[in-house]
Amino acid sequence: AERPNLLLALLASVASHAAAETIVAFAVASPLFAVVSTLLITSCNNTNNTSTSTAITSTSIMSAQEEKKSDGADSSTGGVAARLARPNILALHPYRCARDDYSSGILLDANENALGPTSLPTNSLDPYDNSLTLERYPCPYQVPLKERYGAYRGGIRPDQIFVGVGSDEAIDLLIRIFCVPAQDSIMITPPTYGMYKVCANVNDVDIVKCPLTPAFDLRIEEMIANANENVKLMFVCSPGNPTAKAIPLADIEKLANSSYQGIIVVDEAYVDFSAQGSASELVNKYPNVVVLQTLSKAFGLAGIRLGFCIGPPDIIQLMNNVKAPYNVNSLTSEVAMNAMKNIDTLDKNVKELLAEREVVAAKLNELDFVTKVYPSDSNFLLFRVKSKAQEMYKWMADRGVVTRYRGNELHCDECIRVTIGKKEENEGFLAELKKAWGELGDDKA
C-alpha cells in the first residue's frame, strides 16, 4: 500500500516536467509504468542539469536543418501525426542520449571506454585504423547521411527522413506509433511482403486484407470502402514482393486524395529497378504519404541493414522520439555514406541486372513447362510452371540453386520467384530448372 504513495511522491518531485500530470495519471493505473517513467525522467534531469541550460554550440551533433527530439508532437499544428498517433506516444518524453548535445571535446559524459576498442574490422587491424572512434557512441541522427540521401532522392530535407535498421524497423515503429493494440488495424494488399503481418501480430494490431487483382493491381475502391476509422496505416508494396509489379503513382495519389483518413505507407525496397520513379516525390504534396526505402537491394548492401522512411516532418519526429537512442551504428553509417558517394557503381549495377533480367525472362518463356513469366519492375522474376513447383524448388535447393517457392501466396499457385544474379548464376539456375522438370515433370510418376 505504501508503494503507490511513494511513486506518486517521486513523480510529484518532478512536477516541473511538462508531462508530470500525464504520468501521474498513468501511475495510478500502472505502478510499473510509474517506476519506469520516474527513472527515465530522473535520468533525463540529471543529464540536463549539466547541459540543457547551455545553448547548443557548433560542437553539437545536430545540424541547423534538423531540430532535436521534441517532447512529443505539437498537437497545435493539427498535422496527421497529432491527429492519428497514440496519446501516450504524443506525450512521450524521448530518452535523451549523450550525443544529443555534444560530439567533440573531452567527452566524459556517456561512460564509454576512452582507451579505445578491443577490436576493429578485419581490414583496419594492420595497420591499426580507428578513424571511426568505435569507443564512442555514434551520431543518433545521421544528419550527413540524410543530407546526401535526400539530395539523391530529389529535394528531400533531413527532417523528412528517418534512418533505421532496414525498412523493417520503420514498419514496426509506424505500427507502434499509430495503432492502439487490440483496437486499431492496418490494411495490406495480398500477395505482399510478410513483415507487415508479422509486425501487426507482434503489436496486437488487427489486419484488414484487400487483395490485389490477379494482374496484381490495387482494388482502390475496395480499399477505400474497407478502410474504416480504425485502419490507421495502409501498406502498399511497390514494386511488389512477390509480384515484382510497380503500382502507378497515380493510384497512390487516388488513395491520398480519397476519404481515407489514415496514412498511406508506400514500401519501395525495389524502386531503383523500376522505370516509373519513386513515390518520394509525393511526400511534399500529401501529408498522409510516407515512403519506405532501403540500401539492401539496388545498392547491394543487405549486410549493413540500413533503411529509410521519407515523410512529413511531424511523422518523422515521432519516429525519432520512439526509436532506440543509437539505432544505426558507426560502421553501417560509414558504408552508407560511401555508397552515396558512389552512385556511378549503383547505376552500372542496376543496368547490368536489368539486362540480365531480360535474358532470363526470355529463356524462361522458351520453356514449354513454364506457363507464365510475370512482367517485372524489380530485380527478380515471378514465374509459373505447369505443376510441382514446390517439388522443383526443393530439388534445385538440394543441389545448390536456391530460389523461393511462392505457390502458397494468393494468385501465385505453382509459382517460383527467382532473383536475378550474376550471368553464370542465372545460367546455372536455368540449367537446374530444366533438370528439375526432367526429373519431376508431369510425365513422371
Side-chain angles (χ1 to χ4, degrees):
E2 295 178 358
R3 289 183 179 178
N5 292 333
L6 175 59
L7 292 170
L8 291 175
L10 289 170
L11 288 165
S13 71
V14 293
S16 60
H17 202 281
E21 291 180 1
T22 302
I23 295 174
V24 169
F26 274 107
V28 174
S30 176
L32 177 59
F33 180 89
V35 171
V36 175
S37 301
T38 302
L39 292 174
L40 287 174
I41 293 172
T42 303
S43 174
C44 288
N45 285 345
N46 287 342
T47 302
N48 293 347
N49 286 340
T50 61
S51 62
T52 55
S53 61
T54 303
I56 299 177
T57 68
S58 60
T59 61
S60 171
I61 192 63
M62 299 299 295
S63 79
Q65 294 176 298
E66 176 168 281
E67 296 178 358
K68 289 193 217 177
K69 290 181 179 179
S70 70
D71 287 337
D74 181 3
S75 59
S76 65
T77 63
V80 172
R83 177 169 57 83
L84 294 178
R86 296 164 58 185
N88 60 310
I89 299 296
L90 293 174
L92 179 69
H93 287 260
Y95 177 82
R96 188 174 186 80
C97 60
R99 295 299 158 259
D100 275 331
D101 291 319
Y102 300 100
S103 63
S104 62
I106 299 176
L107 298 175
L108 304 176
D109 56 345
N111 299 334
E112 300 155 325
N113 184 345
L115 299 184
T118 56
S119 183
L120 291 171
T122 301
N123 292 338
S124 298
L125 289 172
D126 187 15
Y128 186 90
D129 178 11
N130 185 31
S131 58
L132 293 179
T133 58
L134 296 183
E135 70 275 17
R136 301 297 182 186
Y137 286 112
C139 167
Y141 298 98
Q142 308 296 325
V143 177
L145 177 57
K146 290 179 181 180
E147 290 173 341
R148 281 190 174 270
Y149 193 77
Y152 173 69
R153 289 303 181 194
I156 304 296
R157 303 188 310 272
D159 67 347
Q160 294 176 296
I161 303 174
F162 168 82
V163 184
V165 182
S167 299
D168 295 336
E169 182 182 11
I171 293 169
D172 183 62
L173 282 178
L174 288 168
I175 292 176
R176 286 161 54 195
I177 289 168
F178 292 104
C179 297
V180 177
Q183 175 179 314
D184 289 329
S185 309
I186 67 168
M187 178 176 285
I188 62 174
T189 58
T192 192
Y193 182 44
M195 279 304 294
Y196 313 140
K197 180 178 179 180
V198 171
C199 289
N201 289 337
V202 167
N203 288 287
D204 195 17
V205 169
D206 288 338
I207 301 168
V208 176
K209 298 179 181 179
C210 191
L212 299 173
T213 70
F216 300 143
D217 293 317
L218 294 180
R219 303 178 191 265
I220 296 176
E221 292 184 3
E222 291 183 25
M223 292 174 70
I224 296 169
N226 286 283
N228 59 41
E229 63 181 9
N230 291 329
V231 177
K232 297 297 179 64
L233 302 169
M234 185 181 284
F235 284 93
V236 177
C237 193
S238 177
N241 178 11
T243 71
K245 185 173 185 176
I247 301 299
L249 295 184
D251 285 359
I252 305 300
E253 292 201 74
K254 288 178 183 178
L255 293 172
N257 281 315
S258 74
S259 59
Y260 175 56
Q261 295 297 302
I263 298 169
I264 298 124
V265 184
V266 187
D267 189 347
E268 293 188 334
Y270 302 94
V271 68
D272 295 297
F273 299 104
S274 172
Q276 88 159 3
S278 171
S280 60
E281 68 184 59
L282 303 179
V283 168
N284 287 320
K285 187 175 181 181
Y286 299 101
N288 56 343
V289 173
V290 300
V291 179
L292 307 181
Q293 296 178 348
T294 180
L295 298 190
S296 295
K297 306 302 182 182
F299 282 86
L301 292 172
I304 72 170
R305 302 301 299 127
L306 189 131
F308 304 91
C309 179
I310 301 171
D314 58 345
I315 293 177
I316 300 303
Q317 182 66 67
L318 288 183
M319 297 180 75
N320 282 329
N321 288 358
V322 175
K323 77 174 182 69
Y326 305 105
N327 60 328
V328 177
N329 67 72
S330 298
L331 298 172
T332 290
S333 183
E334 183 195 36
V335 174
M337 283 290 288
N338 289 340
M340 298 315 302
K341 300 172 185 177
N342 203 15
I343 300 302
D344 287 345
T345 298
L346 167 70
D347 293 340
K348 177 180 71 68
N349 290 346
V350 167
K351 183 178 180 180
E352 181 177 338
L353 288 171
L354 293 181
E356 276 296 303
R357 186 185 71 190
E358 298 310 306
V359 171
V360 175
K363 294 291 185 182
L364 287 172
N365 275 313
E366 293 173 0
L367 302 175
D368 59 1
F369 60 87
V370 174
T371 61
K372 186 174 182 63
V373 180
Y374 285 89
S376 177
D377 296 303
S378 190
N379 69 329
F380 62 87
L381 291 168
L382 183 72
F383 66 95
R384 177 176 287 117
V385 296
K386 288 181 178 179
S387 65
K388 299 186 179 179
Q390 188 167 19
E391 293 88 342
M392 293 174 67
Y393 149 75
K394 184 67 165 56
W395 193 93
M396 290 189 294
D398 289 343
R399 286 154 182 77
V401 176
V402 184
T403 58
R404 289 295 291 271
Y405 170 68
R406 300 286 78 175
N408 52 357
E409 300 279 352
L410 182 67
H411 305 318
C412 297
D413 54 294
E414 299 295 349
C415 281
I416 295 173
R417 191 193 76 190
V418 59
T419 304
I420 302 303
K422 300 173 184 176
K423 180 179 175 62
E424 59 271 23
E425 293 174 326
N426 300 330
E427 291 172 348
F429 152 70
L430 290 166
E432 289 301 311
L433 183 67
K434 294 174 187 176
K435 293 178 184 177
W437 180 255
E439 292 288 330
L440 304 168
D442 283 341
D443 59 339
K444 303 297 187 295

